């Protein structure tokens, strides 16, 4: 199973912000729902980096005496772990697990964001695939044949 098969789910989680935006703009996007990752884009639409809730909390904890006016670009992670639609979901999941990420961007060949892969969504899709394969194997062994 590849990432393209769950691309519609990843699109629902995609939130982007300009690399020229202020950190409070990204914070308001992250505070609006169950999104934990904002993809930061250049004017061309290409991914420049990502900002997570932890990035914002870490930066705000260092603000002193006035509102934090830092730019998103000054806080974002530039070395981003990402995946592409043709990639196997299992490969992306292993990379997420290895790096300790719960969310990673899905990008096209030009590094334009298409969605955000959530670990829970990846695991649910992999579990469904495994259950289906298990059902097929059981039916084959019992002589029912393939569905």
């Amino acid at each position: 199973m590849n990432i393209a098969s769950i691309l519609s789910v990843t699109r629902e989680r995609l939130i982007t912000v300009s690399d020229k935006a202020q950190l409070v703009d990204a914070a308001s996007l992250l505070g609006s729902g169950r999104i934990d990752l904002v993809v930061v884009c250049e004017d061309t639409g290409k991914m420049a980096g990502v900002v997570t809730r932890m990035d914002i909390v870490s930066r705000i904890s260092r603000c002193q005496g006035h509102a934090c006016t830092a730019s998103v670009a000054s806080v974002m992670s530039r070395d981003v772990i990402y995946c592409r639609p043709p990639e196997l979901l299992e490969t992306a999941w292993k990379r997420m697990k290895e790096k300790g990420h719960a969310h990673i961007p899905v990008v096209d060949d030009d590094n334009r964001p298409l969605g955000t892969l959530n670990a829970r969504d990846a695991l649910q899709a992999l579990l469904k695939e495994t259950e289906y394969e298990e059902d097929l194997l059981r039916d084959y062994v019992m002589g029912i044949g393939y569905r």
Side-chain angles (χ1 to χ4, degrees):
M1 173 181 290
N2 60 15
I3 292 166
S5 64
I6 63 166
L7 202 53
S8 62
V9 174
T10 68
R11 282 191 178 117
E12 293 172 13
R13 296 188 185 280
L14 177 63
I15 298 211
T16 61
V17 69
S18 167
D19 59 351
K20 292 172 181 57
Q22 288 190 345
L23 192 58
V24 292
D25 298 327
S28 67
L29 291 170
L30 287 168
S32 65
R34 30 176 265 225
I35 305 300
D36 293 319
L37 178 84
V38 173
V39 179
V40 181
C41 295
E42 300 170 346
D43 291 337
T44 61
K46 292 183 179 184
M47 179 179 63
V50 296
V51 174
T52 66
R53 286 180 192 254
M54 288 303 296
D55 294 332
I56 291 173
V57 169
S58 173
R59 180 58 181 233
I60 290 175
S61 69
R62 289 182 273 156
C63 291
Q64 297 177 358
H66 59 12
C68 196
T69 58
S71 70
V72 171
S74 69
V75 177
M76 71 181 182
S77 300
R78 296 175 190 277
D79 186 23
V80 179
I81 304 299
Y82 60 86
C83 58
R84 298 188 193 281
E87 186 177 331
L88 290 176
L89 192 53
E90 185 176 352
T91 304
W93 161 245
K94 285 179 182 177
R95 190 174 326 121
M96 290 172 76
K97 189 172 111 179
E98 180 180 291
K99 299 293 183 179
H101 296 302
H103 313 274
I104 60 171
V106 180
V107 297
D108 65 12
D109 290 335
D110 294 324
N111 281 343
R112 288 185 171 78
L114 300 173
T116 300
L117 180 62
N118 177 291
R120 182 176 296 131
D121 295 333
L123 286 174
Q124 285 176 342
L126 289 169
L127 181 60
K128 281 182 186 177
E129 182 182 39
T130 301
E131 288 172 346
Y132 177 70
E133 290 172 358
E134 188 177 290
D135 288 344
L136 285 177
L137 183 57
R138 182 177 33 256
D139 290 350
Y140 179 75
V141 169
M142 294 178 69
I144 298 172
Y146 292 109
R147 295 181 193 172

